[in-house]
């Protein structure tokens, strides 16, 4: 659809969930006159052909300078970077499309306050389930377009540019024989996850640490690489894992797909990160330590759900995988 748009397009995003699909979409489209802006810098930008202008300029100044015919945004929360562009587009009669990369927090992605819900001219959704959730949240069904996720198609063709040894050296891990568990938790503390779900990334991390402490000999060769979400308040994670040699908090500049590719297993809760791991043919565990009334991605059948009772046996199984 974008290939048919002949005017100037301004792309704006903040979170990786919006950035990656938009950058992949640009690569598969035949558009020429465009500008890509973000308020954040990520290592994966270098994997794509488009240049991303990381800026602190005001959105209204960017729009005034570039004069786009279409503004295409990601959808982030709690960041309002995307929302500022949507609001300005709607207020200035500029066509506006937005991409929704997940099934959760549909309203938060488009609310500027408790009562105002922004509705772009087109809302691109990854599947029918996302569309259904959006309609249930009072979005105009006529504005919804099922696009799939362009990033997933792009990812199927991706290969790392560094060797495993170089990757291990980059994270200061010299033992190439270690079993690597990549833990990529959603930042549930940002949304009162303990109250909403009964657990969060910090309680789950403590569960893992206690398990390692109780099974020190069996898990001696295992390393847990923690890939924090960009919205994660890392200081609390750092406090929990201090002096825990089996746990490594990866730096922000450690490339995500490379981390997935060289890990033996990927673990998380509800993130689309887990879908990406499956695309890269990784075994996936979803750690859900308490019974849940609502599982945001239950219908997707992503990975295997484990809890405190069976997580150890599932980790130890790594030793016998080919």
């Amino acid at each position: 659809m974008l290939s048919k748009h002949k005017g100037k397009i301004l792309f704006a995003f903040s979170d990786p969930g919006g950035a990656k699909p938009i950058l992949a979409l640009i690569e598969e489209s035949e558009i020429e006159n465009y500008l890509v802006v973000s308020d954040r810098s990520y290592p994966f930008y270098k994997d794509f052909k488009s240049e991303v202008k990381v800026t602190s300029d005001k959105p209204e100044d960017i729009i005034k300078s570039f004069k786009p015919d279409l503004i295409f945004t990601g959808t982030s929360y709690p960041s309002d970077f995307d929302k500022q562009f949507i609001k300005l587009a709607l207020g200035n009669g500029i066509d506006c499309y937005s991409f929704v990369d997940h099934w959760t927090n549909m309203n938060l992605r488009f609310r500027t306050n408790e009562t105002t819900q922004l509705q772009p001219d087109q809302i691109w959704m990854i599947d029918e389930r996302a569309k259904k959730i959006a309609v249930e949240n009072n979005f105009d069904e006529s504005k919804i377009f099922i696009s799939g996720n362009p990033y997933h198609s792009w990812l199927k063709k991706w290969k790392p540019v560094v060797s495993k040894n170089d990757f291990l050296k980059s994270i200061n891990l010299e033992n190439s024989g270690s079993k690597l568990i990549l833990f990529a938790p959603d930042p549930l503390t940002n949304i009162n996850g303990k109250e909403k779900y009964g657990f969060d990334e910090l309680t789950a991390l403590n569960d893992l640490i206690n398990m390692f402490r109780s099974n020190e000999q069996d898990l001696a060769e295992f390393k847990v690489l923690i890939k924090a979400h960009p919205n994660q308040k890392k200081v609390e994670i750092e406090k929990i894992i201090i002096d825990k040699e089996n746990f490594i908090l990866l730096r922000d500049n450690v490339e995500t797909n490379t981390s997935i590719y060289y890990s033996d297993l990927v673990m998380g809760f509800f993130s689309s990160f887990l879908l990406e791991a499956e695309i890269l043919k990784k075994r996936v565990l979803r750690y859900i330590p308490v019974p849940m009334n609502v599982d945001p991605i239950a219908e997707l059948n992503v990975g295997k759900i484990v809890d405190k009772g069976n997580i150890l046996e599932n980790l130890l199984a790594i030793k016998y995988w080919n």
Side-chain angles (χ1 to χ4, degrees), residues 96-130:
C96 183
Y97 300 175
S98 293
F99 181 85
V100 181
D101 64 285
H102 210 271
W103 306 265
T104 56
N105 299 294
M106 198 67 71
N107 274 319
L108 284 178
R109 298 170 186 272
F110 292 96
R111 283 202 185 278
T112 55
N113 54 49
E114 290 185 3
T115 58
T116 303
Q117 184 189 67
L118 301 170
Q119 296 218 17
D121 300 294
Q122 283 191 20
I123 306 172
W124 290 32
M125 298 280 179
I126 48 180
D127 57 22
E128 289 290 343
R129 180 171 180 251

Side-chain angles (χ1 to χ4, degrees), residues 27 39 53 58 63 72 75-76 81 84 94 125 127 138 148 152 160 212 261 265 275-276 289-290 302 320:
E27 288 200 8
D39 61 342
K53 179 182 179 182
K58 293 180 180 179
I63 293 170
F72 195 120
T75 50
S76 309
F81 186 75
Q84 291 181 60
I94 303 171
M125 298 280 179
D127 57 22
N138 300 314
H152 289 174
F212 269 74
Y261 191 89
L265 180 144
L275 285 169
E276 294 164 16
V290 297
V302 179
Y320 310 104

Side-chain angles (χ1 to χ4, degrees), residues 35-67:
L35 173 67
V36 187
V37 298
S38 180
D39 61 342
R40 294 180 178 180
S41 178
Y42 298 110
F44 62 77
Y45 287 165
K46 68 180 185 301
D47 293 335
F48 295 91
K49 297 174 183 177
S50 299
E51 178 184 353
V52 179
K53 179 182 179 182
V54 179
T55 180
S56 59
D57 292 349
K58 293 180 180 179
E60 53 263 43
D61 292 338
I62 296 170
I63 293 170
K64 185 177 180 180
S65 173
F66 186 63
K67 297 180 176 60

Side-chain angles (χ1 to χ4, degrees), residues 196-247:
K196 185 174 182 179
Y197 297 113
F199 70 99
D200 58 32
E201 72 275 22
L202 303 183
T203 62
L205 185 53
N206 274 312
D207 289 347
L208 289 176
I209 289 171
N210 290 334
M211 182 187 65
F212 269 74
R213 186 182 294 121
S214 301
N215 300 275
E216 187 173 351
Q217 187 171 350
D218 288 335
L219 295 171
E221 66 185 286
F222 287 68
K223 299 292 182 185
V224 178
L225 311 180
I226 304 168
K227 186 62 175 172
H229 189 279
N231 292 338
Q232 177 71 55
K233 298 177 180 68
K234 299 181 184 66
V235 64
E236 294 301 322
I237 289 180
E238 290 168 347
K239 289 179 184 177
I240 292 173
I241 67 170
I242 192 168
D243 299 328
K244 307 295 189 302
E245 62 179 26
N246 295 92
F247 292 78

Side-chain angles (χ1 to χ4, degrees), residues 287-299:
Y287 183 61
I288 310 294
V290 297
M292 293 182 59
N293 294 326
V294 178
D295 181 345
I297 63 171
E299 297 176 32

